[in-house]
Amino acid sequence: MNTENPGCLTGVARAIALVVVLPVRLVWDALAYCLRQLWRWILAPVGRALGWLIHHLLVIPLRWLWEWVLVPVGRVLGRLLHYLLVVPLQWLWEWVLVPVGKALWWVVDLLLVTPLTWLWRHLLGPVCRTVGAALAWAWRIAGAVARAIGRAIRWVLWNAVGRPLAWVYRVILTPVGHWLRTWVWEPLAAVGRAVRAAAREVRTALFGGPR
């Protein structure tokens, strides 16, 4: 009993798989056959025919047009451009523009650059250097003079104003202030204190002490 069950289950499984897979395989084989026949009898001949048409109607004419028309025309146009444009421009550059440019530069150098160089080297340069040196010397001397004038003004102000004021403060105002403080302010302060003490005693005698 145990040895027959696996065989029965395997047979049942195989039968079910065959029932499920067989239609799919039949459809697959039929589709593959149809595609092979389609490629063999329709797609491949049509592709070969299209390739032949493209080769004979497009590639060969374009190759012939390139070899026998475009290349010769390009060579002719290149020669024409060389002889009608490049050669004249080269001749114009070598025999007209370069000589004219050299002549203009020679004129500019003769009439402008050389005179200005000579003027700067022999006149303007020395004058500018001399004027610059003179201005620098004058600036230094002016600084020294200004410092000397400042010291003189400070000396005059000190001796005319500062020294007398210091002498007045030291000799007159300071002793007067000491005298006033000793003989006027301190006695007045003592009198004030005595008056305030007497006023307190009178107020105490009249009205009694503070509550």
Side-chain angles (χ1 to χ4, degrees), residues 95-138:
W95 298 99
V96 177
L97 297 179
V98 173
V100 170
K102 291 180 179 178
L104 290 176
W105 173 250
W106 182 80
V107 172
V108 170
D109 182 72
L110 181 63
L111 298 179
L112 188 63
V113 176
T114 301
L116 289 178
T117 303
W118 182 90
L119 184 65
W120 173 258
R121 183 178 300 170
H122 296 89
L123 183 62
L124 296 178
V127 169
C128 291
R129 287 192 293 270
T130 303
V131 171
L135 290 175
W137 176 83

Side-chain angles (χ1 to χ4, degrees), residues 35-48:
L35 289 176
R36 287 195 300 269
Q37 298 302 317
L38 180 65
W39 173 259
R40 180 179 179 182
W41 299 104
I42 298 176
L43 295 179
V46 169
R48 288 191 293 269

Side-chain angles (χ1 to χ4, degrees), residues 174-197:
T174 300
V176 170
H178 292 166
W179 184 84
L180 288 175
R181 185 182 60 187
T182 303
W183 300 101
V184 176
W185 299 116
E186 290 182 358
L188 289 177
V191 171
R193 288 193 296 271
V195 169
R196 287 193 297 273

Side-chain angles (χ1 to χ4, degrees), residues 77-97:
L77 290 177
R79 290 192 181 94
L80 289 176
L81 290 175
H82 178 74
Y83 288 107
L84 295 178
L85 186 63
V86 176
V87 173
L89 288 177
Q90 186 176 0
W91 181 88
L92 181 66
W93 172 261
E94 292 180 357
W95 298 99
V96 177
L97 297 179

Side-chain angles (χ1 to χ4, degrees), residues 4 14 33 48 55 61 76 111 126 159 167 171-172 190 200:
E4 293 179 355
R14 288 179 178 178
Y33 177 79
R48 288 191 293 269
H55 180 74
V76 173
L111 298 179
N159 288 278
W167 181 84
V171 176
I172 298 177
R200 284 195 299 271

